[in-house]
Amino acid sequence: MQLNAYTASGQVDRAIEVYGKTVADNPDNKLYRYNLGSLLLQNGQHDEAIEQLKEAVRIDDAYTDAQYNLGAAYVNKAININNRINEIDDDLRANKSSLSADEVAAKETEMDTLASERRELFGVAVTPLEKARVLGEAEGRQVAEICRVLFQSYVQVGETEKAESIQECAGL
């Protein structure tokens, strides 16, 4: 109840701290790991969220919400990388005339490296999202949001046929 109170009152950092201690004391508790991972995800701490959510699904591979949030953590991290690519591109366009050829090449290389990382993250997101969809459907849940994120991931990794196959589920 105390952890929920911290979260409800907007004290996410305090909730993360307390959940961290709770997880340390109960490392095999999937719910604690899921809750900590979800808070970390909400707080934009994607790497830490991924670590906790991976543990939650290791403990229980059929944990639908943990599978979904794990996929979402990868996607959110990829989106942050995409935002960084856009910032670099905008900076490059605005300042290209004042940059040396080496500086331009370095920025272009950085964007290419980030684009590869972005694509890889979308690719890694597919497996837990597919699992969450199957589990959610088996539980009789609405899975449109899962399908939307999965659709986005399929598109980003060039899986056009798979993306087309879930358009209806995604409400697109």
Side-chain angles (χ1 to χ4, degrees):
M1 291 175 65
Q2 179 187 25
L3 295 171
N4 290 337
Y6 284 137
T7 304
S9 66
Q11 297 181 55
V12 176
D13 289 337
R14 180 72 178 128
I16 288 171
E17 179 185 330
V18 173
Y19 262 115
K21 290 176 183 172
T22 303
V23 165
D25 292 341
N26 304 279
D28 292 325
N29 186 305
K30 69 180 183 183
L31 181 61
Y32 293 156
R33 288 200 178 265
Y34 166 76
N35 286 339
L36 177 56
S38 297
L39 283 171
L40 291 163
L41 177 59
Q42 177 185 357
N43 209 37
Q45 295 173 258
H46 300 114
D47 291 331
E48 296 87 349
I50 288 166
E51 179 183 327
Q52 294 303 319
L53 294 164
K54 282 171 73 173
E55 282 300 307
V57 300
R58 182 194 59 76
I59 294 165
D60 182 359
D61 189 53
Y63 194 168
T64 306
D65 293 333
Q67 291 283 2
Y68 173 67
N69 278 7
L70 178 58
Y74 287 122
V75 167
N76 288 350
K77 186 174 177 180
I79 290 169
N80 282 352
I81 289 172
N82 190 66
N83 292 339
R84 179 68 184 130
I85 292 168
N86 290 339
E87 290 170 5
I88 295 167
D89 188 47
D90 289 347
D91 181 56
L92 183 59
R93 291 173 193 266
N95 299 306
K96 195 169 190 171
S97 62
S98 65
L99 298 173
S100 70
D102 287 343
E103 290 170 322
V104 169
K107 288 187 180 289
E108 289 172 343
T109 299
E110 182 180 3
M111 286 190 303
D112 290 342
T113 301
L114 289 170
S116 294
E117 187 177 342
R118 176 190 61 202
R119 181 180 170 94
E120 181 179 314
L121 286 165
F122 276 113
V124 174
V126 166
T127 300
L129 291 170
E130 287 175 338
K131 182 86 174 184
R133 177 186 178 199
V134 169
L135 291 168
E137 288 173 340
E139 295 166 0
R141 293 186 185 194
Q142 294 293 324
V143 295
E145 181 59 29
I146 295 169
C147 289
R148 279 191 287 279
V149 178
L150 185 54
F151 176 86
Q152 177 184 20
S153 298
Y154 283 149
V155 168
Q156 291 295 322
V157 297
E159 294 281 353
T160 307
E161 287 181 24
K162 287 183 177 182
E164 289 172 357
S165 74
I166 65 163
Q167 274 184 297
E168 187 176 327
C169 173
L172 303 172

